[in-house]
Amino acid sequence: MLPRKPLGFLIFVALAVAAAAFVWFGLPHDREVKSLGLFLVKLLPFVFATEALARLDVEWAKRLKLPLITLPVAFLVFFLYFVPKIFFYGGVETGTRESFYALYYHVLTLTPLIILTITLANRLGGGTAALTRRLAYGMLLLMLSGLEDFAFLTVNDHTDPAYATIPAVWDWASHMTVFIGHPPTRNEAYAFIIVHVILALLVFFSPQRWWDALANRVRPRGTRSESA
């Protein structure tokens, strides 16, 4: 049987997920709010999620290593669903090539800022220096992996024949090109993604003593070490 604090947290997580699913799948995706009641219903997932976070037993979460799981997962929800949708609806479908490039550059700049914001919140909440580095560098590897390129091709309903199936050559993926020396083929892109995901997982779940050793190297003299 679960202790009382985690049980309250899990109940509100379930309520938040159920409310979010209802809002996302059960209600129309309108820009305008049609009524006060509808407006309040759409706020329920946020309210339930806030109450879940307020009830989270921090020590219980640390024992389960939840920061190393939940924070990267939250980032991936943003990066692998909402970013591809932003590119699809904001540039590919309705904009000019120039507007798409401008949108792409702004999101490209925003994403590391979001990683650092997540990491800062964890650090200010008591996260250790080692956990800070794990989260920041691990999520950066996920950002650079090419997962978003793959998600862009798979989560959107493309009408352009060039993207209706996954292209044989990913000539737009310049961050891969600069590493391998030529635009990657589909299989080379898959390998690039897999390698980066493995590296990110190693960063997240590698032995703590590696990070302690790194902290000892960069820590100013006279300061105490932090446990994970």
Side-chain angles (χ1 to χ4, degrees):
M1 187 173 181
L2 282 171
R4 189 165 184 172
K5 283 187 179 180
L7 183 59
F9 163 73
L10 292 173
I11 288 172
F12 273 92
V13 167
L15 289 172
V17 170
F22 173 73
V23 169
W24 187 259
F25 297 109
L27 297 178
H29 292 193
D30 291 334
R31 182 182 65 84
E32 296 181 353
V33 178
K34 301 295 177 61
S35 70
L36 177 60
L38 187 60
F39 175 71
L40 295 176
V41 167
K42 288 189 173 184
L43 287 180
L44 282 178
F46 184 88
V47 172
F48 287 145
T50 300
E51 290 304 312
L53 294 175
R55 286 166 169 77
L56 176 61
D57 184 333
V58 176
E59 294 305 317
W60 175 76
K62 287 180 178 179
R63 287 197 301 272
L64 296 181
K65 299 190 180 297
L66 289 186
L68 279 172
I69 299 171
T70 55
L71 295 179
V73 167
F75 169 70
L76 287 176
V77 170
F78 154 78
F79 191 58
L80 298 186
Y81 183 79
F82 288 99
V83 167
K85 289 294 185 182
I86 289 170
F87 288 155
F88 184 69
Y89 292 120
V92 173
E93 287 292 284
T94 59
T96 63
R97 184 176 293 272
E98 290 73 21
S99 68
F100 175 73
Y101 289 159
L103 174 67
Y104 187 93
Y105 184 81
H106 280 78
V107 174
L108 187 71
T109 306
L110 171 66
T111 302
L113 179 60
I114 288 176
I115 292 174
L116 292 175
T117 302
I118 293 171
T119 307
L120 173 63
N122 172 76
R123 182 63 168 154
L124 292 176
T128 65
L131 180 57
T132 298
R133 293 186 177 98
R134 285 178 187 260
L135 289 172
Y137 295 136
M139 286 188 282
L140 181 65
L141 284 167
L142 292 175
M143 171 188 163
L144 299 175
S145 67
L147 274 174
E148 185 276 323
D149 298 272
F150 180 74
F152 176 78
L153 296 169
T154 54
V155 305
N156 295 312
D157 297 322
H158 291 280
T159 56
D160 186 340
Y163 300 108
T165 59
I166 296 178
V169 177
W170 293 21
D171 54 4
W172 71 89
S174 57
H175 66 293
M176 297 184 186
T177 299
V178 296
F179 274 98
I180 64 178
H182 59 84
T185 64
R186 180 169 49 230
N187 289 337
E188 287 173 335
Y190 289 166
F192 190 91
I193 292 170
I194 291 169
V195 167
H196 279 72
V197 169
I198 291 173
L199 289 174
L201 291 174
L202 285 174
V203 169
F204 291 141
F205 300 111
S206 53
Q208 178 61 30
R209 63 180 182 276
W210 296 359
W211 298 94
D212 290 339
L214 176 61
N216 290 333
R217 288 177 178 271
V218 301
R219 190 176 62 247
R221 290 183 178 179
T223 57
R224 294 188 305 171
S225 63
E226 302 174 72
S227 58

